[in-house]
Amino acid sequence: MTILRRALDGLYLVSAGLAALSLFGIFATMMAQVFLRQGNIQLPGADDFTAYLCVATTFFALAYTFKRGELIRVGLFIDKAGPGLRRLIEIAVLLLAAALVAYIVYWTFSDAMFSREIEEVAQGSVPFLIWIPKLAIPLGSGILLIAILDELAIVLRGKKPSYVRAAEERAARGDFSAEM
């Protein structure tokens, strides 16, 4: 395994770890709310923090989930295609996905930087700089873009995409949980 391959896989794993931490943050916030309500105490900003953590959980999990073949994919047409046509379709779809995700990265990063520039704060009970949680979207999307370009490079080299290999390995084990 090359250094680049280890670095990319490490990046995807770190991103998944950030998603897990965000999910744990949601759990911790909700549990704190439950316990504080027993004493008639409100946790200020809990709803805002939970909402931003939901976004962070979603976007940081994208690349890892994509590489493992666990994102929703419609393979009805492509599964019927021969190897040559299938490769062309994979390349076209990965190029389209890269373009769309790059667009998302550009505009969400621009939005976060604009929020930073105007020092925008959350309107909830705890005013915090909103550009900080907004960064989860372009960061998570950026890591997904890297994963898509990684898969494109794999397909261009004539190899089977990681997400296809992962799905086939699960099917060989009799695990169809991600296929539903």
Side-chain angles (χ1 to χ4, degrees):
M1 188 181 282
T2 67
I3 293 172
L4 180 59
R5 174 82 276 137
R6 279 196 301 266
L8 288 172
D9 290 344
L11 175 65
Y12 308 141
L13 196 57
V14 166
S15 189
L18 290 171
L21 284 173
S22 298
L23 189 59
F24 180 76
I26 294 167
F27 166 77
T29 302
M30 293 176 83
M31 289 294 92
Q33 281 184 294
V34 168
F35 289 117
L36 289 174
R37 279 190 192 139
Q38 301 302 317
N40 249 0
I41 302 170
Q42 291 280 11
L43 182 60
D47 293 340
D48 291 338
F49 291 127
T50 301
Y52 285 116
L53 287 171
C54 282
V55 171
T57 299
T58 301
F59 281 88
F60 284 126
L62 287 174
Y64 185 78
T65 307
F66 171 70
K67 290 292 284 184
R68 293 181 45 91
E70 294 176 352
L71 285 180
I72 296 172
R73 228 173 84 95
V74 179
L76 239 48
F77 175 71
I78 197 168
D79 289 342
K80 306 287 185 216
L85 180 58
R86 182 181 180 123
R87 184 170 176 265
L88 289 175
I89 294 169
E90 290 282 3
I91 290 169
V93 169
L94 287 167
L95 284 170
L96 178 62
L100 290 172
V101 173
Y103 182 81
I104 291 168
V105 171
Y106 176 80
W107 286 108
T108 57
F109 183 74
S110 295
D111 179 55
M113 291 302 96
F114 180 71
S115 292
R116 181 174 173 258
E117 184 180 315
I118 65 170
E119 298 178 2
E120 183 180 14
V121 294
Q123 298 299 310
S125 58
V126 177
F128 57 90
L129 292 172
I130 206 155
W131 69 270
I132 298 169
K134 278 185 173 185
L135 276 180
I137 299 171
L139 286 174
S141 297
I143 297 169
L144 175 61
L145 177 59
I146 292 168
I148 291 168
L149 294 173
D150 182 11
E151 288 302 317
L152 180 60
I154 289 169
V155 174
L156 287 172
R157 287 194 314 265
K159 296 182 181 177
K160 193 178 287 190
S162 303
Y163 49 83
V164 172
R165 282 195 325 271
E168 288 174 352
E169 289 169 8
R170 278 193 305 276
R173 290 190 313 264
D175 177 5
F176 299 100
S177 60
E179 308 304 317
M180 296 180 184

